[in-house]
């Protein structure tokens, strides 16, 4: 961890924070989810660097130590994709492997559609590729208290989170998202109130880890994070060819609550997803949860490294 270096790169008028370790011609860029930042890739960054790769993990705009956009409520997935291209240009990097978690899968796959020549391969954890013809409509089949539906409602999550400090918000979401059930609040209950204040952290997530996240979200707040991803899912990116033509790996924890989203498990297990990602390999982790890269770093490191070495 101490070997990880930190720098700020000016991209599209904003200074983005980038964590970096390792050297060599083959570059791996790690894209985080929510409520995460670069730190969620700490185990994987060290592992790929020790295997001879150069590892980069940016904080998306408005997350962690990166500058927020001037108007967070207008932030978009398109911004993240353009930021990634500009970041690689600024660092003089032509081609990369992308490793993405949670909503980071959306800009990763979209980047590969728009800039196929710059992507050697994609690894996603917990989220399969879904083309524009199969939009996300989970809220239509789940109760009103579904967390994404609640967080899409302007002002509601802001009020819910605003009752607590940033560290407690992250704590509650880590506890919720590490369970195997979809987070759904009762009619007169807020998402933060689902978690009992006495509930313990997952055993693989320390108080020190929580403090790291808490300090970074105290700096950034949640304005941009609520806009991207939760209020940007319907965004049109203008891609015409929706078939992913690079090698890909999906690591799916069988205890990840996302697998219970309506239609997701069938979409993956039936092989339908491979119609859109022909070179996709799927690996299931029997005990894996939504935070599998922090829960089972040795397992995930091995899977990522096997994939990288296969496609250098």
């Amino acid at each position: 961890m101490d070997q990880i270096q930190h720098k700020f790169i000016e991209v599209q008028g904003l200074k983005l924070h980038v964590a970096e370790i390792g050297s060599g011609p083959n570059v791996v860029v790690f894209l985080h989810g929510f409520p995460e930042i670069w730190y969620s890739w700490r185990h994987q960054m060290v592992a790929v660097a020790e295997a001879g790769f150069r590892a980069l993990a940016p904080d998306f705009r408005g997350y962690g130590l990166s500058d927020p956009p001037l108007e967070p409520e207008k932030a978009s997935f398109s911004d993240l994709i353009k930021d990634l291209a500009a970041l690689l240009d600024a660092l003089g990097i032509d081609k990369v492997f992308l490793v993405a978690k949670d909503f980071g899968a959306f800009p990763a796959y979209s980047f590969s559609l728009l800039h196929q020549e710059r992507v050697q391969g994609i690894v996603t954890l917990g989220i399969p590729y879904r083309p524009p013809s199969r939009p996300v409509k989970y809220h239509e089949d789940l109760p009103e208290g579904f967390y994404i539906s609640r967080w899409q409602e302007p002002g509601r999550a802001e009020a819910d989170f605003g009752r607590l400090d940033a560290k407690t918000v992250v704590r509650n979401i880590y506890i919720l998202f590490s369970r195997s059930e979809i987070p759904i609040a009762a009619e007169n209950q807020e998402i933060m109130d689902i978690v009992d204040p006495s509930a313990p952290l997952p055993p693989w997530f320390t108080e020190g880890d929580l403090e790291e996240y808490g300090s970074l979200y105290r700096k950034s707040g949640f304005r941009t994070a609520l806009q991207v991803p939760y209020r940007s899912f319907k965004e049109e990116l203008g891609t015409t060819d929706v078939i992913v033509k690079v090698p890909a790996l999906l690591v799916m924890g069988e205890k990840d609550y996302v697998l219970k989203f309506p239609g997701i498990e069938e979409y993956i297990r039936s092989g339908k997803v491979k119609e859109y990602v022909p070179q996709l390999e799927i690996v299931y982790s029997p005990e894996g949860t939504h935070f599998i890269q922090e829960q089972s770093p040795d397992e995930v490191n091995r899977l990522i490294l096997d994939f990288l070495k296969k496609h250098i």
Side-chain angles (χ1 to χ4, degrees), residues 285-303:
S285 174
E287 298 300 316
T289 66
H290 193 62
F291 300 106
I292 188 171
Q293 86 281 16
E294 295 180 275
Q295 173 199 9
S296 304
D298 291 344
E299 176 186 7
V300 171
N301 293 350
R302 176 180 55 78
L303 291 170

Side-chain angles (χ1 to χ4, degrees), residues 156-178:
R156 184 146 192 178
E158 287 87 339
D160 189 16
F161 293 2
R163 299 174 296 147
L164 307 168
D165 60 61
K167 181 178 173 180
T168 302
V169 172
V170 174
R171 173 189 176 277
N172 287 352
I173 297 173
Y174 253 80
I175 291 170
L176 273 180
F177 283 11
S178 64

Side-chain angles (χ1 to χ4, degrees), residues 24-25 45 81 85 124 135 153 165 171 179 186 195 214 232 240 248 258 303:
M45 292 181 72
I81 297 162
T124 63
E153 184 181 333
D165 60 61
R171 173 189 176 277
R179 295 172 178 171
V195 180
S232 301
T240 52
V258 171
L303 291 170

Side-chain angles (χ1 to χ4, degrees), residues 85-101:
L87 179 66
L88 298 183
D89 289 344
L91 294 172
I93 298 170
D94 293 326
K95 202 165 188 176
V96 296
F97 286 99
L98 297 174
V99 180
K101 157 80 170 48

